[in-house]
Amino acid sequence: MAINRWDPYREVFTLESRFKPLFRGFDQGAALTAGFVPAVDIYEDAEKVVLKLEVPGVEEKDLDVRVEKNTLTVKGKRSFEKEEKEENFQRIERRYGSFHRSFTLPTSVDAENVDAKYNAGVLKLELKKKPEAQPKQIKVNVGKSLAA
C-alpha cells in the first residue's frame, strides 16, 4: 500500500480550477469580445406600448427587430473599429459584441402594427394596441330623469 502525502490545499486548488471557466472573460481584454445588454425603458398608455433601448454605436443595419407569436425580439451588434485596435489603449470600458433581448407582449398589443425609429443611439419601438383593447368613452346625458 502506497502512502500519499496529505496536502491541505489540494481541495482548494481543485475548487479553483473548477471555477476558473466561470470567471473567464471578466478581465479587461475580454471587454472587446463580450456582449452587452442594452438598458430598456418600457411604458404604456391607452393606445400603445413603447420600448426605448439604449444602443449607442450600433448601426441601423446591425439591428434586427422581430415579432413572433407574442414575443418581441431585438438583436444587434456593436463592432470594435479595426483602426482603433492599433491605438495604445490604457482602459477599455465600453462593451462590444452582440446582444439579444426578448419581451413577452401583452395580448392587447397588435403585433402587425409596430413602428421602429432609431435616433441618437436610442431605438424606440411603438406597438399599437388592438382597437378592442383601447378604452372607450361613454357619453353621460345630464338632466334626463331615469323614470322617464
Side-chain angles (χ1 to χ4, degrees):
M1 177 172 171
I3 297 176
N4 288 332
R5 187 172 187 188
W6 180 67
D7 182 4
Y9 297 106
R10 182 181 350 200
E11 286 82 15
V12 173
F13 292 130
T14 303
L15 186 63
E16 179 189 20
S17 66
R18 289 183 181 170
F19 275 101
K20 268 187 180 177
L22 294 174
F23 295 103
R24 192 173 295 136
F26 283 102
D27 60 348
Q28 188 175 7
L32 297 175
T33 58
F36 66 102
V37 179
V40 64
D41 293 336
I42 302 174
Y43 60 92
E44 171 178 12
D45 63 20
E47 292 138 16
K48 64 188 175 298
V49 174
V50 179
L51 290 89
K52 289 184 176 180
L53 287 95
E54 287 185 355
V55 287
V58 177
E59 295 186 32
E60 186 179 349
K61 66 178 178 62
D62 292 330
L63 289 169
D64 182 20
V65 180
R66 296 174 188 244
V67 177
E68 293 181 44
K69 297 182 182 175
N70 67 334
T71 303
L72 169 71
T73 304
V74 181
K75 296 179 185 178
K77 185 172 99 175
R78 182 167 48 199
S79 300
F80 189 71
E81 291 83 23
K82 291 178 183 164
E83 304 85 50
E84 292 181 4
K85 280 188 178 179
E86 296 176 13
E87 297 292 328
N88 187 12
F89 280 106
Q90 296 297 316
R91 181 180 207 100
I92 297 174
E93 291 185 352
R94 293 175 43 204
R95 292 289 199 179
Y96 297 92
S98 300
F99 69 88
H100 176 271
R101 296 286 311 255
S102 293
F103 306 92
T104 302
L105 300 175
T107 56
S108 59
V109 168
D110 180 6
E112 301 297 320
N113 200 349
V114 179
D115 184 37
K117 296 177 183 167
Y118 184 60
N119 185 26
V122 177
L123 175 63
K124 182 178 181 181
L125 303 169
E126 291 186 2
L127 300 101
K128 304 272 193 251
K129 290 186 178 178
K130 296 175 184 172
E132 60 269 16
Q134 296 180 9
K136 295 180 178 89
Q137 185 174 9
I138 300 170
K139 184 176 180 183
V140 177
N141 293 319
V142 181
K144 303 256 182 180
S145 109
L146 296 176

